[in-house]
Structures are given as C-alpha cells and as structure tokens.
Amino acid sequence: MALSTSFTAISALTRYRRRHHFNPFSTTSFISSSFNHISRKIQLLRTAASHCHTQSSPKMSSVTAENTKITAPYGSWKSPITSDLVSGSDKRLGGTAVDALGHLFWVETRPNESGRLVLVKQGEKEGDDPIDITPKEFSVRAVAQEYGGGAFRIFGDTVIFSNYKDQRLYRQSLSSKDSAPLPFTPDYGRPLVSYADGVFDARFSRFVTVQEDCCESAMNSITTIVSFDIRDESVQEPKVLVSGSDFYAFPRLDPKGERIAWIQWSHPNMPWDRSELWVGYISDSGDVHTRVCVAGGDPTLVESPTEPKWSPQGELFFITDRKSGFWNLYKWIETSNEVLPVYTLDAEFARPLWIFGMNSYDFIFDKDQKNLIACSYRKNGKSYLGILDAAQNTSLSVEIPFTDINNITSGLDCLYIEVASAVHPLSIAKLTLDDHKSKAVDFKIMWCSSSISSIDKSYFSMPEVIEFPTDVTGLNAYAYFYPPTNPIYQGYLEEKPPLLLKSHGGPTAETRAVLNLSVQYWTSRGWAFVDVNYGGSAGYGRGYRDRLLGQWGIVDVNDCCSCAKFLVDSGKVDGERLCITGGSAGGYTTLAALAFKDTFKAGASLYGVADLKLLRLETHKFESHYIDNLVGSERAYFERSPINFVEKFSCPIILFQGLEDKVVPPEQARKIYHALKEKGLPVALVEYEGEQHGFRKAENIKFTLEQQMVFFARLVGNFNVADEITPIKIDNFD
C-alpha cells in the first residue's frame, strides 16, 4: 500500500502552516566545542575528501546564508543523502598490509556485490586505479568466533587468505597476474573449520594460525593454534602447536622464529574481562616445548592483556589494563620475567577483542634502530596519534586532521592509518613522517569508504559531545548528539524535532563521532539523532566498562532513557516523538526499553534479542558465557527478557532479521513479532535470506533504512516523508 493512501495521521505541515510565519533564524545548531572551529584541520579534511571516489550524480549547489530557507515540518525535508548513496557507499575495511616493496594492500567490503570482501592493491603509479587481487568467485572473510577478522596475511609475493564460502585457507601469488588461489587446508564438505589471525614462520617455512574446529559441535568448538607447511602445495592436515584453552588470538613469532607469543582465555571470561599472555619457546623440531605466562596469570591482579607484538630487536610489547583500568602499552623483560610500562595514561590504547587482527600500534622502520612505536589511543571520545620511544619512555603527539583512528600499519617512511572524523568518513590515510620520525610532513587519502564529493558539506550535521546524568547519583554517561541540519530547510518556530536514539551493539563496544551517512540520512531530513555510549561501553576504561556486569537490561536501558530525557529537558527534541533503534545487543536494549519503560513512542530492532535464556542456549561458543556475566541469576534472565512481558509493550515496533544469523537466531525476532501481533500492537517483521548477524547486501541496507524512516513517520512523526518509499504492511495498523 502506498504511503499517500495509507497515511492516517494529521500532517504536521497542516498544523503549523496556519500558525507560524517564516523566520530564517528559528533553528539553533548545537555544536560541540570539540568540533566548533574553522581551522587548518577542517581545511585539510576537505582537501582530503576530494580524494574520495566521486558519484555520477551532479553536485548540489551550496545554499548561501542570504537564500531563503523553506519552512517545513521536521522529518519531511528533502535531502541529497539518499538511501542508495548510504547503502552503496557503506564499505568497511577488513585490514591493511604492506609488502616488502612498500605496496599497500587492504580488504574492503562490496555492498553491491552481496557484501563480498576483496583484497585490493594500490595502483602501481600515482593516479592509477587500485587493483583487485581476489577473483570474483572468492571472498576474503573468516568466520572464526563468528565475527572473524584477520582473514589474510602477505609474505613476500604470496597472500594466504580465508575464503568465506568454504572457510579453507588459500595461497595466491601476487606477482603473477591472474594467479588462481589454491587451497591447502582440508575440505570438510561444509565450512566446519575456520582460520584467522595467521602469521608466516620463516624459520620453518610454515603458516601459523588460530583454528576453530566445529566438526564435532558448532556450539562447543575446539580452538587451537596450528601450523601448515607452506613448502608443501598439497592439501594437508594441521599440526597443533598450542591447545588446552577455550580461546586463542594473536599468535606472534619473534624475528628469529624462536619464540611465539599468544593471548588465551577461557570461560566464563570474555577477553576484555580476563585473559592471559603467554610465550612459548620453539624447539628445533618446530614444537612449543616451554611456556611462560607473561601477564594475566596472577589471580590477585585483574587484567586483560591483548595485542602482543615483537619489535625488530626481539623485545615483546603488548597492551594491558592492569592496576589503572586503562589499556596501556607494556613490555616484557625476559631475563627477570617482569612487565614494565612503556607509557601510562588514563586513555585506551586498545579496543575489546571482538574480531581478530586488530593493530592498534606498530613499529616504525628507523635507520637508527630505535624502538619507535606509532600508536593510537582514545580519551574523552576522541582518538589521538602518538609516537613513543620505548627506550627513552618518551612520547610525542602527532597532529593529524582526524578525530578517530583504528588500525595502524607501518610502511616505508610512512604510516597507513584507518581514520575518520565528523566531516570525513572511514578512510585509509598515508602519513609521511619527517627524517626524525617526529611529525607528519604530508598525508594523502588512499581509500575512502563513502563517496561524499557529490554532497555539499552544509548537509552534514556536526556532533555535539554530551555528558548527561544517569539515574545513579554522581554517575554520568556519554553520547553524540546530531541536530537536524539542512541548508535548504528549517523547522517551524514552535516545533521541536523528533529524535531517533541509537543504542550500539556489543554491548561491550563503543560508538564514535565519525561521518556516517546512515546518521546523516536522518538529520538531513529533519530528525535529531543521538548515539549513546551507555554505561558498559568501551573507550572509557574498565570502571566504565564494568558498569554493565550483572546489569544488562538495566544500566543500558536507564542510560538511554536518561539521555532522551536530558535532550527533552534541554529543549532540543520533541518529547512526544522519541524513537529508539539498535542492532544486536542494541536491539535488545531497544526492546527492553520499550517493554520496561515508557520513554519512547516507537522502536526498531535489528537482529535484536527478545529472550535472554533462549540466546544463552542457542548462541555460539564465543559468547555462550558472556550473557551470564552481564545478566546473572536465572531470575534476572526471566525478568529482563522482553518476550516474557509482552503485556508491558504499548507502542509500535518494526523488526529486521537475517535468516542465517547464528549469533541471534531468527526465532528471537519471530517470537516477539507473533506475541506483539497477537496483543494487537502495530508490528512488522522483515526477514532477509542470505544475511547473517549484520546486513551486508546493499539492497537490504537500503530497505532497512527506508522502512525505519517511513514506519516512524507514519506511526509517530505526523509528517509525510519526502522520498518515494512504499511502506511494508504493518500488522494491526494497515
């Protein structure tokens, strides 16, 4: 049914047109001091943006301050940030690497190719197009621990990668054009065994990797560190090097191949709760014969070491959060088995280990053989780039025009960093350092996730960092608020914009203030948008992260409601048009907020959890005890599951679900859908064939975005959307 024939609410345009006169200054922008300046940084970012790929659509003209704005209801504005632009440009990175000749490689997602992941090499010469390495019938994606990561490794002129369809490891030549990938791991008929986070062992000419074996049980897989002889081109069985723990990550060999470091942890812990760093000594036969626990073995010391890495000189560095509660950089003194801090700061130098292959720091190639380390860290919602001299224990901050940094890869006299900011989408930037490796002398965008050059920057909403009081006296939480922004439109004088609050997934994760076209899709149409880092989020230290232990469904829900109330009380949004959305754990927070609170008027759950007990029974091994730590008792499992309290729901809900999701199985969405339908509430369920946990296909990303927009407009917003969107049928409404 078309929107024009099924829209039954009174249009806000009709309500306001008769009462208000035009006022070009009726809208106030709330811009954070962190972003409210016109400086060299912003100019550099705009220069950098010109390197992003262009769209074929014409660029819209800037609207000057002298032009008359159109007054129209919030939410009904026209915008050049289309759902096609959002879905087609929603590319992600799967890692970066540099070969011995200094060539940059990266893995990128292709939403228009059903989410296929492709290894790409930079052009041979300046201005040349990047070169696809991965043949069209392959996809570079690991699914170990369900979330994957660390799916490829380059050594010499060879790349070894995990292929998504069968999860086998393949070897492919980089020097031979049109080289066909060849498998060297067994074919189990189905993708029952997966590999991730592998490294080359030059001493024994082998590939060392984490292996997850689901042959006997998908719910209780066996994880080990194994090796494959890469001199043998035939298919071969792995040799087990390290076993006995529930989980492993970051197998890393020293430069001589004599020692191997790794991270391990076991149930009931997640790697950010408690983990251990071990070093094993490798015999002449290639076995690990002696092991030493470097960090995490002291039961009186709570820590979660991560990201071990050997320096070119053979020293072991790693990140841990011992004592201070913040992930800082440390090094191991082998002779005395001591751990010493390299640099301490109340900031996070690492992220939770959800995926393999994270690279928060790297060693800088230096002719003077100094232990110079390029690192990124998060403090108060912003990323910084630093260079540490490990020998002198000194640090130097490197100024770059970005506020968000993820992985760092060291190149020849340069760094390749994954960066973003409020005005620039996720990109790979090449940062050239001076001779002293102390400051950046040049940078260039090598890859950009979104094609933004067709969009006038005046359509971008700038985030305001807000700190708001929670319902616990003395404790505050954090969020990024994006006001409605459009150079052509403004709202009516007495109207406040509707609000869409997003609760991030994880829940041990962090939302960041980066240019996200899916956010700008809403704000450029007249919605206010807020992205909440509720208690339990990463990025603020262990104390903040631990707020959610035993309190999932309480702290996150209360913080989201407190944030919405804070914005209403601040006069920034309409308290009668508050909506909430979230995916995965954020979908659970959405459903719990709608079941147990009356703050929001409608919600959208993307592959969210409705039944905590069912989730515990059906989820994969990696997270099978995670929920116990977050929820606690059997009584809490029942009392915090929205499915058990359908009678408390009182507003419309739309659900989106991938049918191949193994993290949150489809039955979760179906149970809540049927229960709400039976109760008589407006509800809709959208299921996607071939999608897993998180949507990767452009057509599904587009459809999800559009249907959320029109669902909220019809049931809460009281306005017509400007876009031509055919709404799906809503049960108990249409």
Side-chain angles (χ1 to χ4, degrees), residues 239-479:
K239 176 181 180 178
V240 176
L241 299 179
V242 182
S243 62
S245 188
D246 284 330
F247 305 100
Y248 294 95
F250 294 109
R252 298 294 183 261
L253 290 154
D254 73 8
K256 296 181 179 180
E258 297 174 347
R259 297 165 295 177
I260 181 173
W262 68 87
I263 298 294
Q264 67 180 50
W265 68 98
S266 290
H267 288 321
N269 294 311
M270 296 300 285
W272 49 82
D273 296 325
R274 280 181 178 267
S275 58
E276 298 172 356
L277 168 60
W278 286 77
V279 169
Y281 294 85
I282 301 174
S283 68
D284 291 339
S285 63
D287 297 313
V288 178
H289 65 88
T290 303
R291 306 180 186 190
V292 176
C293 185
V294 172
D298 184 349
T300 66
L301 185 63
V302 178
E303 64 176 324
S304 50
T306 186
E307 294 195 52
K309 189 173 294 188
W310 300 92
S311 74
Q313 292 76 34
E315 291 184 295
L316 180 62
F317 290 78
F318 62 98
I319 296 172
T320 191
D321 59 348
R322 57 173 52 193
K323 297 180 181 178
S324 72
F326 288 93
W327 274 313
N328 284 188
L329 197 60
Y330 288 76
K331 71 175 179 179
W332 178 48
I333 309 301
E334 183 177 12
T335 54
S336 57
N337 195 24
E338 288 182 278
V339 169
L340 298 179
V342 175
Y343 192 76
T344 57
L345 189 67
D346 285 351
E348 297 281 60
F349 284 70
R351 293 159 284 154
L353 203 167
W354 280 104
I355 61 172
F356 292 102
M358 294 186 297
N359 209 37
S360 302
Y361 69 100
D362 207 353
F363 298 100
I364 298 174
F365 298 123
D366 181 67
K367 60 183 179 182
D368 297 326
Q369 298 294 304
K370 294 180 182 178
N371 261 347
L372 296 179
I373 301 172
C375 60
S376 65
Y377 59 92
R378 296 279 293 174
K379 188 175 179 66
N380 298 327
K382 182 181 177 181
S383 295
Y384 298 86
L385 178 67
I387 294 179
L388 304 178
D389 187 330
Q392 303 296 324
N393 278 39
T394 58
S395 69
L396 184 67
S397 180
V398 179
E399 185 177 354
I400 59 173
F402 302 97
T403 56
D404 190 83
I405 304 171
N406 282 318
N407 296 316
I408 298 175
T409 300
S410 188
L412 302 179
D413 296 319
C414 67
L415 298 171
Y416 294 102
I417 52 179
E418 297 176 21
V419 296
S421 77
V423 295
H424 196 84
L426 174 65
S427 303
I428 302 173
K430 179 181 180 181
L431 196 70
T432 304
L433 302 172
D434 65 359
D435 291 339
H436 300 289
K437 307 295 187 288
S438 61
K439 64 180 180 180
V441 295
D442 187 32
F443 81 92
K444 180 171 63 174
I445 299 298
M446 306 296 293
W447 176 90
C448 188
S449 61
S450 299
S451 303
I452 63 170
S453 59
S454 62
I455 308 171
D456 190 287
K457 305 305 179 291
S458 58
Y459 283 93
F460 292 158
S461 177
M462 299 296 289
E464 173 192 351
V465 180
I466 62 172
E467 182 175 355
F468 59 90
T470 69
D471 65 338
V472 179
T473 303
L475 291 184
N476 290 349
Y478 308 93

Side-chain angles (χ1 to χ4, degrees), residues 448-660:
C448 188
S449 61
S450 299
S451 303
I452 63 170
S453 59
S454 62
I455 308 171
D456 190 287
K457 305 305 179 291
S458 58
Y459 283 93
F460 292 158
S461 177
M462 299 296 289
E464 173 192 351
V465 180
I466 62 172
E467 182 175 355
F468 59 90
T470 69
D471 65 338
V472 179
T473 303
L475 291 184
N476 290 349
Y478 308 93
Y480 299 105
F481 175 71
Y482 299 81
T485 302
N486 189 306
I488 297 177
Y489 290 90
Q490 65 179 3
Y492 288 94
L493 270 172
E494 295 181 8
E495 184 188 13
K496 300 294 183 184
L499 173 72
L500 181 60
L501 182 146
K502 181 182 177 182
S503 173
H504 65 69
T508 311
E510 177 190 8
T511 189
R512 298 186 174 193
V514 301
L515 181 60
N516 184 339
L517 292 186
S518 65
V519 173
Q520 304 298 330
Y521 177 84
W522 293 89
T523 57
S524 63
R525 284 165 173 75
W527 280 77
F529 192 102
V530 66
D531 218 345
V532 183
N533 275 321
Y534 48 77
S537 300
Y540 301 90
R542 181 180 283 270
Y544 195 84
R545 204 165 66 237
D546 285 352
R547 287 188 190 180
L548 211 57
L549 292 179
Q551 298 294 307
W552 193 29
I554 297 177
V555 168
D556 51 321
V557 170
N558 289 342
D559 285 359
C560 287
C561 293
S562 295
C563 182
K565 183 178 184 299
F566 176 81
L567 292 172
V568 171
D569 293 344
S570 301
K572 297 181 179 181
V573 301
D574 185 349
E576 295 302 314
R577 294 189 290 174
L578 302 177
C579 300
I580 183 171
T581 186
S584 189
Y588 166 69
T589 302
T590 293
L591 294 173
L594 296 174
F596 305 126
K597 300 287 183 179
D598 58 3
T599 303
F600 300 98
K601 308 304 179 184
S605 172
L606 285 66
Y607 39 93
V609 180
D611 188 334
L612 291 172
K613 190 171 183 179
L614 184 63
L615 177 68
R616 181 176 59 176
L617 293 173
E618 293 186 345
T619 198
H620 57 133
K621 180 181 177 181
F622 177 59
E623 294 182 83
S624 60
H625 288 263
Y626 182 35
I627 304 103
D628 290 337
N629 296 335
L630 295 174
V631 178
S633 67
E634 288 296 323
R635 180 178 178 181
Y637 268 95
F638 179 85
E639 292 180 345
R640 296 186 210 160
S641 293
I643 191 64
N644 298 326
F645 298 92
V646 175
E647 72 279 2
K648 293 189 176 184
F649 283 94
S650 60
C651 64
I653 300 174
I654 187 168
L655 306 143
F656 300 88
Q657 180 69 44
L659 292 180
E660 294 183 10

